[in-house]
């Protein structure tokens, strides 16, 4: 199991990026959360096996149909053992 902190920049708010991210995470068995950031980016904490996370990161670089992803930054972090994948409404 691995943990990634992922920041997605571009036109990624108001295009169902968070809802689509949850759907993809659920399909791949990735756990964690996604939330919009005040600067217009999307922040994701994702945990899963190496193969699932690799596919998840590939999807993050594309996003849903109307998204325009400019960059995806991912940093490996400490496992938090999330039980599911959630869409958070506000920054913590």
């Amino acid at each position: 199991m691995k943990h990634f902190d992922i920041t997605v920049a571009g036109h990624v708010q108001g295009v169902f990026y968070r809802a689509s991210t949850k759907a993809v995470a659920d399909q791949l068995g990735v756990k964690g959360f996604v939330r919009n950031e005040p600067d217009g980016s999307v922040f994701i904490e994702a945990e899963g096996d190496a193969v699932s996370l690799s596919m998840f990161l590939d999807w993050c670089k594309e996003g849903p149909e109307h998204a325009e992803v400019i960059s995806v930054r991912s940093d490996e972090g400490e496992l938090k053992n999330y039980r599911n994948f959630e869409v958070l409404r506000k920054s913590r």
Side-chain angles (χ1 to χ4, degrees):
M1 291 284 283
K2 290 185 171 192
H3 174 102
F4 281 107
D5 294 326
I6 305 163
T7 301
V8 184
H11 181 60
V12 291
Q13 290 189 15
V15 293
F16 298 101
Y17 198 98
R18 290 178 302 160
S20 300
T21 300
K22 177 176 174 33
V24 170
D26 288 347
Q27 283 180 338
L28 295 172
V30 171
K31 312 295 185 200
F33 68 83
V34 58
R35 72 173 180 234
N36 285 340
E37 293 293 297
D39 66 1
S41 67
V42 169
F43 178 74
I44 304 164
E45 286 194 18
E47 295 182 346
D49 62 64
V51 172
S52 295
L53 284 175
S54 176
M55 290 190 293
F56 184 74
L57 278 167
D58 286 346
W59 181 86
C60 288
K61 293 172 186 168
E62 297 294 319
E65 183 180 357
H66 297 292
E68 294 174 25
V69 177
I70 294 171
S71 68
V72 175
R73 192 174 119 222
S74 62
D75 299 302
E76 198 163 343
E78 193 173 320
L79 275 176
K80 297 183 182 174
N81 297 310
Y82 291 110
R83 292 178 187 214
N84 55 18
F85 197 92
E86 294 185 74
V87 174
L88 300 183
R89 299 291 170 218
K90 295 190 176 207
S91 286
R92 290 183 174 179

